[in-house]
């Protein structure tokens, strides 16, 4: 008996009891559907995050800030002059910056001052609050335009899509090259200063880097100068955070640098690490969802066992006749194993097709609702490799589930089987 004959026999026998087989396939389909949708979401989110990371550039850049933990639970902590000064205002002093620069393994250390803008006005002349930061020199993901200058005195700004629309530009691209006005105020003199800035780019919304507008270095310096008008010289030397680049990209080396900073009283984290945490959190969530799909497949495997056991019982005399005509136990085992694999194959294929259909519907809803504005984000994505793996695993599970009834059929005594009523 050739393999083709075994396969034909298995396919024919599978539908002797259509209702029972159909219900078993439905159980497999549900498990395949759950796992496929979950993996599709995982693939979609990971693909978007990888694209965003690729657009950022220097993911090793480290953000350094003072530690704020006042106690470890064992009572008040003693003052340590080797650690950060822990200024009451939460700012970093020149002394702190010097300590950071002394840490081995860091380069391009840059202390950043706070640059507060009272309000901003664009084409519409309406006053808006603006959430912005000075450029960190990384490559921001842009919808249009170019990056802001990281050196010199030019006043340039990257706007978010929403900010561009608020300023009166229906198409965010129309904001490129236009001028907006930022009003900064000194808390000491209360004097307001209007600062003009040229829009050179519009940012895409992103899950990786925060959706803030971005100042050029020159623009930030002008805002800071307006903020600090009238302040004593000692108070001007205050920084909100420090950015630096590790000399090595090796994860172990970066961890060692963070430990050294920690001992001096600073917290530090690279963009790469923050993104890694985002991956870990999301993968943990999808892992739980995959577990539910696995439970569904385990339940379906019991359905496969039941279906094939019933099939063996219904076809006992037929099995006895085949064995009496010379068909070996191995061939009988192969027939029933093929039936189990066919159940898995049909169920997984239908589950994948259903998942693709549902995935398209989810993507359509997502892009017009909760993912609106996140350009290039396809929530549910499928690829051939993961699809083939899903089919292979499900077929393996159903094959293993079918081995018990197949083994029983292979061991049937032909004389006893022929007498079975």
């Amino acid at each position: 008996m050739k393999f083709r004959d075994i396969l034909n026999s298995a396919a024919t026998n599978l539908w002797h009891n259509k209702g029972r087989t159909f219900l078993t396939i439905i159980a497999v389909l549900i498990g395949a559907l759950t796992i496929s949708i979950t993996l599709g979401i995982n693939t979609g989110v990971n693909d978007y995050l990888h694209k965003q990371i690729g657009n950022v550039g220097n993911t090793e850049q480290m953000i350094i800030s003072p530690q704020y933990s006042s106690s470890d639970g064992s009572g008040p902590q003693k003052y340590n002059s080797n650690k950060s000064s822990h200024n009451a205002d939460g700012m970093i002093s020149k002394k702190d910056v010097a300590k950071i620069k002394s840490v081995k393994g860091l380069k391009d250390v840059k202390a950043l001052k706070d640059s507060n803008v009272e309000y901003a006005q664009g084409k519409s002349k309406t006053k808006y609050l603006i959430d912005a930061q000075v450029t960190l020199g990384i490559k921001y993901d842009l919808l249009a335009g170019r990056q802001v200058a990281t050196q010199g005195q030019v006043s340039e700004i990257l706007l978010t899509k929403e900010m561009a629309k608020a300023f009166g530009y229906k198409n965010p691209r129309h904001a490129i090259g236009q001028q907006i006005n930022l009003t900064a105020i000194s808390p000491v003199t209360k004097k307001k200063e209007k600062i003009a800035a040229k829009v050179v780019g519009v940012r895409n919304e992103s899950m990786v880097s925060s959706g803030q507008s971005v100042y050029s270095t020159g623009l930030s310096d002008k805002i800071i100068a307006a903020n600090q008008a009238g302040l004593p010289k000692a108070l001007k030397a205050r920084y909100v955070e420090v950015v630096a680049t590790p000399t090595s990209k090796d994860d172990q080396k970066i961890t060692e640098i963070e430990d050294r900073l920690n001992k001096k009283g600073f917290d530090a984290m690279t963009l790469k690490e923050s993104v890694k945490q985002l991956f870990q959190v999301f993968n943990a969530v999808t892992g739980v969802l995959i577990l539910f799909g696995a439970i569904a497949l385990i339940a379906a495997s019991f359905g496969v066992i039941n279906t094939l056991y019933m099939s063996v019982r219904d076809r006992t005399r037929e099995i006895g006749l085949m064995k009496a005509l010379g068909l070996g136990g191995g061939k009988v085992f192969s027939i029933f194993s093929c039936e189990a694999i066919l159940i898995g194959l049909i169920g997984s294929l239908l589950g994948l097709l259903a998942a693709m259909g549902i995935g398209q519907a989810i993507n359509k809803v997502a892009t017009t609702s909760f993912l609106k504005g996140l350009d290039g984000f396809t929530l549910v994505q499928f690829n051939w490799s993961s699809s083939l793996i899903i089919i292979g695993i499900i077929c393996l599970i159903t094959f293993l589930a079918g081995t018990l009834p197949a083994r029983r059929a292979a061991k049937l005594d032909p004389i006893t089987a022929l007498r079975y009523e």
Side-chain angles (χ1 to χ4, degrees):
M1 195 174 190
K2 297 180 180 179
F3 175 74
R4 185 176 62 182
D5 298 323
I6 292 173
L7 193 60
N8 287 336
S9 178
T12 303
N13 295 331
L14 193 63
W15 300 103
H16 278 177
N17 191 317
K18 294 182 178 63
R20 188 167 62 208
T21 301
F22 179 75
L23 290 175
T24 307
I25 288 174
I26 289 295
V28 175
L29 182 152
I30 292 170
L33 173 64
T34 305
I35 291 177
S36 298
I37 287 288
T38 304
L39 285 178
I41 293 174
N42 185 278
T43 301
V45 173
N46 278 276
D47 176 70
Y48 179 73
L49 291 177
H50 279 298
K51 276 195 262 184
Q52 292 298 307
I53 293 169
N55 286 329
V56 167
N58 187 10
T59 55
E60 279 76 29
Q61 191 172 64
M62 190 174 283
I63 307 296
I64 304 166
S65 58
Q67 291 176 348
Y68 294 104
S69 55
S70 58
S71 174
D72 57 5
S74 59
Q77 290 182 319
K78 290 183 179 180
Y79 171 74
N80 186 343
S81 61
N82 293 323
K83 288 200 169 188
S84 169
S85 56
H86 292 283
N87 295 309
D89 57 4
M91 304 291 276
I92 295 175
S93 67
K94 278 189 174 181
K95 181 181 175 182
D96 293 328
V97 176
K99 288 179 182 179
I100 292 170
K101 286 182 176 180
S102 70
V103 173
K104 184 181 177 182
L106 288 177
K107 64 179 182 179
D108 302 330
V109 178
K110 182 181 180 183
L112 303 178
K113 293 182 178 181
D114 198 11
S115 47
N116 291 316
V117 170
E118 189 78 1
Y119 57 84
Q121 291 174 288
K123 179 183 176 183
S124 64
K125 302 300 181 183
T126 305
K127 297 177 181 178
Y128 288 99
L129 298 176
I130 184 167
D131 183 17
Q133 64 179 19
V134 63
T135 177
L136 298 178
I138 61 177
K139 184 179 177 184
Y140 298 95
D141 183 22
L142 300 182
L143 170 69
R146 60 170 175 83
Q147 307 293 332
V148 293
T150 57
Q151 295 178 341
Q153 297 301 311
V154 292
S155 298
E156 297 177 341
I157 188 171
L158 297 179
L159 294 178
T160 62
K161 288 168 63 177
E162 297 227 344
M163 209 72 216
K165 288 182 180 178
F167 283 148
Y169 304 102
K170 292 183 179 179
N171 186 335
R173 290 179 173 83
H174 294 163
I176 305 299
Q178 302 300 316
Q179 178 180 297
I180 65 168
N181 292 313
L182 307 173
T183 300
I185 187 171
S186 166
V188 177
T189 64
K190 303 300 180 183
K191 180 183 177 182
K192 292 183 179 180
E193 183 174 340
K194 187 176 287 187
I195 303 168
K198 181 181 179 182
V199 180
V200 296
V202 178
R203 295 186 65 180
N204 273 321
E205 293 184 34
S206 171
M207 289 175 63
V208 176
S209 54
S210 56
Q212 296 176 306
S213 297
V214 180
Y215 301 141
S216 66
T217 302
L219 177 58
S220 178
D221 289 342
K222 291 175 184 176
I223 296 170
I224 292 167
N227 291 155
Q228 295 188 342
L231 278 177
K233 187 176 180 181
L235 291 179
K236 289 182 179 181
R238 288 284 191 269
Y239 307 94
V240 290
E241 62 187 13
V242 173
V243 295
T245 304
T247 54
S248 173
K249 293 186 178 182
D250 181 70
D251 290 342
Q252 181 61 37
K253 296 289 184 183
I254 291 174
T255 301
E256 290 174 3
I257 294 169
E258 290 174 351
D259 290 340
R260 288 196 285 270
L261 286 165
N262 190 262
K263 289 177 182 177
K264 289 184 178 290
F266 299 98
D267 288 325
M269 179 176 283
T270 63
L271 177 59
K272 183 179 179 180
E273 288 176 310
S274 61
V275 170
K276 184 179 179 182
Q277 290 180 353
L278 190 60
F279 275 112
Q280 288 174 338
V281 170
F282 189 78
N283 287 337
V285 173
T286 52
V288 172
L289 295 175
I290 289 173
L291 181 61
F292 284 109
I295 291 171
L297 283 177
I298 291 171
S301 67
F302 284 103
V304 172
I305 293 171
N306 177 67
T307 296
L308 293 183
Y309 261 127
M310 295 297 291
S311 181
V312 170
R313 193 190 68 174
D314 294 345
R315 292 155 54 198
T316 300
R317 292 190 68 185
E318 179 186 335
I319 294 168
L321 181 60
M322 288 190 294
K323 297 190 79 173
L325 292 173
L327 194 66
K331 299 291 186 182
V332 174
F333 180 88
S334 299
I335 291 173
F336 282 90
S337 294
C338 280
E339 289 184 32
I341 292 171
L342 284 173
I343 290 173
L345 181 62
I346 295 170
S348 59
L349 285 173
L350 291 176
L352 275 169
L353 290 173
M356 288 177 182
I358 293 172
Q360 286 184 350
I362 292 174
N363 287 335
K364 189 173 182 180
V365 172
T367 52
T368 56
S369 55
F370 58 92
L371 293 183
K372 189 176 181 180
L374 292 178
D375 298 318
F377 191 176
T378 304
L379 182 60
V380 186
Q381 292 185 34
F382 299 95
N383 55 59
W384 284 108
S385 58
S386 61
S387 298
L388 290 174
I389 289 171
I390 291 170
I391 293 171
I393 290 174
I394 292 175
C395 287
L396 177 62
I397 291 172
T398 54
F399 166 74
L400 294 175
T403 54
L404 290 176
R407 190 164 174 264
R408 181 182 177 186
K411 285 190 172 184
L412 279 176
D413 180 70
I415 297 174
T416 304
L418 287 169
R419 291 176 179 171
Y420 182 81
E421 294 295 335

